Amino acid sequence: MSSSDLAPAPAPHTLDIDSTRPLCPLLVADVNALCDRLEDAGATTSAVIRLHGTGPAENWPGDVGIDVVSRWEKALRRLEQGRFAKIVTVEGVCSGPALDVLLTADHRIGTPGLRIAVPVTHDGVWAGMALHRLTNQLGGLHARRLVLFGAELSEQRALAIGLIDQTAKNPAAVAARLAGRFVRLDPAELAIRRQLVNEAGVTSFEEALGKHLAACDRTLRRTRGEFAGARGNA
């Protein structure tokens, strides 16, 4: 066993998102700043994001211009595609910006009694990319009612349809343990696995086969030590 195996994992980078927070440049900056810290840390850390709220977002995204909406969606996409592992904890009501962030995460831990609220106004559910992610992640059958009319899901329902992966009375402790485990995964390979999952529903078997075989080949070569040898000769 190497010394790196025995060394404690570094503390994850964290962020808090309140469900009732309106969309604004500061919110966009907070997400981008988290991405900056994670990218600067490279393969040595992961993210734990605390999502919380006392009620559903009443007027998401609020009085905001389309330029800020575009910057928000780009920040979420940056977070979603980052090579680092992203764990979220959900306490109370998850809605508005917290729901947007939830849908970008790799692992989702809820607390007993949580609620997930898809906000709706007289114009309907906000037509942001959360609708796209909900449909891709849940399928049309589960997403239809949420996307068309808005809804509030209980802890049990969120678990049943896969919006939450698990619940815990102390989600922060569970998240810290998972972050320590996930940080040991190769970040590039983690990103590739995430991409393969995301593309599976819209890519034919024949189109996907090459990418899967390439990922398998990298794993087999790493097992044989070919990558380590190449680095040593560089």
Side-chain angles (χ1 to χ4, degrees):
M1 182 177 292
S2 68
S3 59
S4 60
D5 294 326
L6 296 174
H13 290 274
T14 61
L15 178 67
D16 273 38
I17 301 284
D18 190 320
S19 287
T20 60
R21 189 174 178 182
L23 181 54
C24 64
L26 183 57
L27 180 60
V28 176
D30 285 346
V31 172
N32 277 321
L34 174 65
C35 292
D36 288 341
R37 297 196 303 271
L38 290 160
E39 290 165 4
D40 289 344
T44 63
T45 192
S46 54
V48 174
I49 305 172
R50 177 177 174 251
L51 310 175
H52 58 94
T54 56
E58 295 293 341
N59 190 32
W60 173 254
D63 185 10
V64 64
I66 195 64
D67 58 325
V68 178
V69 174
S70 177
R71 286 158 53 196
W72 171 243
E73 295 292 1
K74 289 177 181 177
L76 290 172
R77 187 61 168 165
R78 182 185 177 193
L79 180 66
E80 183 176 41
Q81 292 188 313
R83 293 185 169 190
F84 37 83
K86 298 168 292 292
I87 304 163
V88 297
T89 64
V90 184
E91 304 170 51
V93 180
C94 180
S95 186
L99 177 59
D100 276 5
V101 172
L102 173 82
L103 296 172
T104 69
D106 298 313
H107 194 83
R108 306 159 185 180
I109 308 165
T111 52
L114 75 90
R115 290 178 291 151
I116 294 180
V118 179
V120 60
T121 68
H122 65 278
D123 288 322
V125 173
W126 173 244
M129 291 304 291
L131 305 192
H132 185 273
R133 292 186 176 94
L134 280 168
T135 304
N136 277 348
Q137 294 176 24
L138 304 182
L141 181 64
H142 290 305
R144 184 178 63 243
R145 181 178 171 223
L146 299 178
V147 167
L148 294 181
F149 306 112
E152 189 168 294
L153 304 179
S154 66
E155 166 199 347
Q156 293 78 14
R157 184 61 177 160
L159 275 168
I161 66 175
L163 275 178
I164 296 295
D165 295 305
Q166 67 181 104
T167 58
K169 292 182 178 179
N170 187 349
V174 176
R177 287 198 302 271
L178 288 173
R181 192 176 80 195
F182 292 166
V183 78
R184 302 183 193 281
L185 299 174
D186 183 281
E189 293 299 323
L190 174 64
I192 289 168
R193 296 326 185 258
R194 186 189 298 122
Q195 181 181 2
L196 293 175
V197 169
N198 291 338
E199 293 179 352
V202 295
T203 306
S204 70
F205 181 92
E206 290 73 17
E207 291 174 316
L209 179 59
K211 292 182 179 180
H212 283 264
L213 289 176
C216 292
D217 183 54
R218 283 191 301 274
T219 298
L220 293 172
R221 291 172 61 193
R222 185 175 287 105
T223 301
R224 293 193 297 266
E226 293 182 21
F227 290 149
R231 286 195 297 268
N233 295 328

